[in-house]
Every structure is written in C-alpha cells, then in structure tokens.
Amino acid sequence: MNAVNIGLLGLGTVGKGTATILERNAAEILRRAGVPVRVAGAVVRDVAAAQAWQADAGLSFPITSDGDALVADPDIDIICELVGGEEPALRWTQAALDAGKHVVTANKALIATHGDALFAKARSKGVGLRFEAGVAGGIPVIKALREGLSANRINWLAGIINGTGNFILSEMASHGREFADVLAEAQALGYAEADPTFDVEGIDAAHKLAILASIAFDTTVDFDALHIEGISSIQPEDVAYAAELGYRIKHLGVARRRDAGLELRVHPALIPEKRLLANVDGVMNAVVIHGDAVGPTLHYGPGAGAEPTGSAVVADIIDLVRGGAHPAGAGIDEPKALPVLTSAEFRCPFYLRLEASDRPGVMASVAGIFGDLEISLEAILQKEPSALDESSVPIILLTRDVDEACMRQATTRLEALDDVLSPVVTLRVETLD
Ligand code: NDP
Ligand code: HSE
C-alpha cells in the first residue's frame, strides 16, 4: 500500500483537530504506521467556510457536501465519522462498514445506542470500528480497559467524563461565575455538544458510561437502564456547604458491580476533597478504574477540544493501519447479560439540606426521623439564619451508607414536618473506597 487515505465526515472541532495532527505529525505517523496516512477528502455542510479554514491552516484536500460519495469512494481506506448525532452519521457509518472500510468515530451517542448492531456488522465484514475519542476525549481509557487492564476483574469505575460539565462546575466553584455564562464559553471553545442539554443533563456522560461499563463488565448495556441526573439543579449554597464539610461537588459516572447486579449511574456527587478526582478541574476528565489484581488506577487528561480529541482519533487510525488487536471493535464476542439495578437499590452516603423553622425542638424532630429509620448520621449542622429571613435556618446532614429506598422514606417524612419549610435537597456522596 502506497498510502492510507482517510475520509473525514465532518470538519468541525474534532475534524479540524484530526486533520491538523495528521498534517503536522505526518513524519511521526509514517514511522509508527509504516505508510503515509493522509486526508483524501472531507465532507461538511458549509463547504465555503471549511475551505476558508483550510486555506488559513495551509491544508489541501477536496471538501464537498456529499457524504454518500465519500463513503462509497473506493480510494478511501478509513472513514472518520466526526459529524455527531444520529443521522446521517448512522447511515454513513453503516455504509462505510458495508463497503468494507474501517471506521473511526468520536460519536459516543451512536456507539452507546447502536453499538451492538454496528460491531456485529464490523465483525461480519472483518473491519474495525474504533471509538477511543468518544470517551474522555484525549485520555486513552478504552485502550487501558481493553488492553492494559484486561487481566483484571473490574470491580468498579468512576469518572468525571464530561468536560463541559466539569468546566462549568469548576468555574462556578472557584470564581462564582453564572452557569449560563460558563456554558456559553464552553460552547465557544468547542467543548459542548451540538445540543448542550446533552452535557448539562448528563446524557453525554451516560453515553460514555454505557460504553465503559460494557467493556469493563463484558456486557451489553441498555442505555435506558442507566440512572441519569445532570448538573443544572446544583445550587451555589450546596457547593459552599460541601466545601465546609471537606467535599467538592463533581458530576460523576459510576459503574459498580454489586452482588445483585450493576449500579450504572450518572449524577452530581460530593467527593472528599483529599481524593484526586475531587481536584480534577476545568475541561479535564479523569476515570478511576478498580481492578481486582491491580487495585485502583487513575486515568487523567483533557476531556474535550480539537487536538486532544483528534489525538485519540489519529491513535485509532494508526492502530488500524498497524492491524492492531481487536479489529472489530469492543472485542466482546459473547457479552454476558447482567441485571442493572434501579436507583431504589443503590446504596451510598447522602448529603441533605433543608430549610427549617428556627425554633427549639426542630433538630430533635429531624434527627428522630433518621433514628426511626436506623440511618446513621456522620454530621448534622445548623447554620445561621439568613439576613433576609431570620425565622428559618438551613440544616445540613451527612449520612453514612444507606439504601436509597430508605433515604426516600426519610425525605418524605422530613418534608411532611410542619417545621420543614422547603423541599429537601439530596445529593449522593461518593467516597471512592
Ligand atoms: P462540530 O459541530 O464542531 O462539527 C460537526 C461537523 O460535521 C461540521 O463540520 C459539520 O459541517 C459537519 N456536519 C454536520 N451535519 C452534517 C451533514 N448533515 N452533512 C455534512 N456535514 C455535516 O462537532 P464536533 O467536532 O464538536 O463533534 C463531532 C463528534 O465528536 C460528535 O459526535 C461529538 O460528540 C464528538 N466529540 C466531540 C468532542 C469535542 O471536544 N468537541 C470531544 C469528543 C467527542 P459544518 O462545518 O458545515 O457545520
Ligand atoms: N461535549 C463533550 C464534553 C465532548 O464536554 O465532554 C467530549 O466528549
């Protein structure tokens, strides 16, 4: 083979990063791949805008708006699907595999929801379907799970796996910035999804968690079985109270093997500030993977952005050119069916905040409910009344491990007390033990 020809579907944030790396690092890539790897064509909606970028960047390859033609082009060896969303990304990916081409994608939504059928197609055609860029941007976490940790029975993994969400939470916590203002900056920097509710409502992190869990536990994951909460309801006072208690609030994806099945959950959580994960800020991501043989391992790096994500795309291309292991993708030929627990079956410590009348006896009634339900408390704090309303006080509680169904009984009983004046805010605590 004289050269490997790459077809880029999409020349946005990730497509540009990929094209730039392939050009700038062509000599290194040639040494590692054994043959020249070059972009032979790209597809966008706005051809003129892409050509203007290309001229500025000093690159030259044909750019069109005809994805069907690029996918069908017999001169293209590897298709990179960097369009995002479902259609036309799904149709083009299927067509590329059908045409016997390897596919590299950054599209975690596509893999999380259509992965099984796509991997089956790739296997039947004897081609590769790679998706390292889809999870945690530039961190080679898929490679770590599939290769470096493959000797282990994975007990659990937990990670900050959405760069936009972590960027927003970090800026709110350290600079007191407004949610909407930081989200707009994340969009301008190219971190956010085309529909940013995927980032802020936890859907993007859930796509990534579904992919990680399917590899970690050799299973297929029904995306609808995941428990998903986003960051949009986090209040600044909870960030401040958590800090007083020695915790940081992060948006986590957690996959844990329990006796009865898998916990698969995406939600904000208080993490002890001494944990490395609590100190992962900005667009950085980190995933802790706990294997039975190795113990905990931490994988850290940029979770979004043009070249960090392009780095993962190009690494997958090089692997395919070298004929790396697992040519057909996830490498799970016979996935195990594992039950997925409902949120009522989760078990963890909780943080609670409520607003109560500033009267004698209120703390005793609150604490009494936890005593009745045999929920152990780690801490209980009564704060000063606010300057605006001197008749009520915030009460903050931290529990020890408790079944979530039992926690819900506690909040229902708390909210029924006459002296409890607000809905109870509950956040899970993840100690990462
Ligand atoms: P962008 O919106 O920046 O780029 C999308 C590209 O696809 C654009 O070039 C766009 O064309 C093109 N495109 C979209 N629809 C069509 C269509 N119907 N026909 C032809 N071209 C089309 O997205 P990103 O680069 O940010 O994301 C791409 C993928 O990578 C997504 O799956 C995303 O989830 C994933 N990803 C993104 C990361 C990031 O940091 N941004 C990180 C990791 C993964 P035009 O330029 O004309 O609009
Ligand atoms: N929108 C995603 C994020 C891109 O912010 O993490 C990387 O997958």
Side-chain angles (χ1 to χ4, degrees):
M1 193 184 283
N2 295 331
V4 170
N5 289 331
I6 306 296
L8 296 180
L9 294 171
L11 203 53
T13 301
V14 182
K16 285 173 180 158
T18 301
T20 304
I21 295 169
L22 283 170
E23 173 72 19
R24 190 181 64 227
N25 295 347
E28 285 80 3
I29 293 166
L30 166 61
R31 267 199 302 279
R32 291 163 196 161
V35 283
V37 179
R38 54 175 199 150
V39 179
V43 164
V44 297
R45 288 169 299 204
D46 185 342
V47 174
Q51 285 171 335
W53 171 81
Q54 189 187 36
D56 278 354
L59 302 176
S60 63
F61 45 80
I63 301 177
T64 72
S65 59
D66 190 345
D68 294 309
L70 188 79
V71 165
D73 184 341
D75 290 336
I76 299 288
D77 304 297
I78 299 179
I79 286 288
C80 294
E81 187 280 293
L82 309 173
V83 166
E86 179 143 333
E87 286 300 343
L90 177 59
R91 176 165 56 89
W92 287 339
T93 301
Q94 288 167 331
L97 296 172
D98 277 333
K101 296 181 199 300
H102 298 304
V103 174
V104 175
T105 181
N107 190 338
K108 51 269 166 161
L110 204 65
I111 295 295
T113 52
H114 297 283
D116 293 343
L118 291 173
F119 290 125
K121 192 181 275 295
R123 267 193 289 272
S124 76
K125 294 287 174 182
V127 293
L129 170 59
R130 296 303 192 100
F131 50 93
E132 182 68 72
V135 181
I139 311 175
V141 66
I142 301 295
K143 219 174 198 354
L145 259 180
R146 280 183 12 180
E147 298 181 23
L149 299 175
S150 62
N152 287 261
R153 181 175 201 266
I154 304 299
N155 295 320
W156 57 266
L157 60 87
I160 296 171
I161 47 179
N162 182 266
T164 301
N166 200 44
F167 182 67
I168 294 172
L169 285 182
S170 305
E171 289 292 310
M172 285 172 72
S174 53
H175 301 111
R177 289 178 62 191
E178 291 292 323
F179 189 101
D181 168 41
V182 194
L183 173 58
E185 188 180 344
Q187 288 179 287
L189 289 166
Y191 301 156
E193 295 302 299
D195 175 356
T197 57
F198 276 49
D199 296 292
V200 299
E201 297 306 343
I203 300 159
D204 177 72
H207 286 143
K208 294 166 179 167
L209 187 73
I211 295 171
L212 289 173
S214 68
I215 300 171
F217 303 121
D218 304 318
T219 188
T220 50
V221 171
D222 172 9
F223 183 72
D224 294 331
L226 267 73
H227 176 80
I228 307 175
E229 294 172 37
I231 59 170
S232 57
S233 58
I234 294 177
Q235 301 297 315
E237 56 264 51
D238 294 312
V239 175
Y241 292 139
E244 269 185 54
L245 290 161
Y247 293 83
R248 305 230 167 103
I249 298 183
K250 292 291 183 186
H251 189 252
L252 281 187
V254 180
R256 192 183 284 271
R257 199 194 283 274
R258 299 263 188 209
D259 291 342
L262 296 179
E263 275 189 15
L264 298 177
R265 48 191 169 90
V266 166
H267 54 77
L270 276 74
I271 307 179
E273 65 191 5
K274 65 180 182 202
R275 293 283 182 208
L276 290 165
L277 224 51
N279 297 285
V280 171
D281 289 327
V283 75
M284 303 308 274
N285 280 192
V287 184
V288 180
I289 304 173
H290 192 286
D292 66 338
V294 71
T297 61
L298 176 69
H299 309 260
Y300 171 83
E307 290 206 19
T309 312
S311 159
V313 173
V314 174
D316 272 349
I317 293 173
I318 294 172
D319 241 15
L320 286 167
V321 176
R322 282 169 166 165
H326 315 296
I332 307 169
D333 289 331
E334 290 178 29
K336 287 177 296 181
L338 292 174
V340 176
L341 303 182
T342 65
S343 60
E345 298 169 290
F346 298 165
R347 185 173 171 81
C348 63
F350 275 87
Y351 160 100
L352 297 93
R353 174 172 60 82
L354 52 94
E355 200 69 22
S357 312
D358 189 13
R359 301 198 296 107
V362 174
M363 279 293 243
S365 331
V366 168
I369 290 175
F370 288 87
D372 283 353
L373 292 168
E374 299 184 349
I375 301 174
S376 302
L377 290 176
E378 178 81 32
I380 177 162
L381 304 178
Q382 179 173 326
K383 308 301 293 180
E384 295 300 310
S386 84
L388 292 176
D389 179 4
E390 294 193 354
S391 64
S392 72
V393 286
I395 295 178
I396 318 298
L397 302 110
L398 268 187
T399 74
R400 299 230 166 97
D401 261 356
V402 50
D403 290 333
E404 192 147 332
C406 185
M407 192 70 241
R408 289 184 197 164
Q409 285 183 45
T411 52
T412 305
R413 285 180 58 179
L414 286 168
E415 286 172 354
L417 291 176
D418 288 342
D419 283 316
V420 170
L421 308 172
S422 68
V424 178
V425 172
T426 57
L427 289 166
R428 296 181 188 84
V429 178
E430 190 58 60
T431 56
L432 301 170
D433 291 328

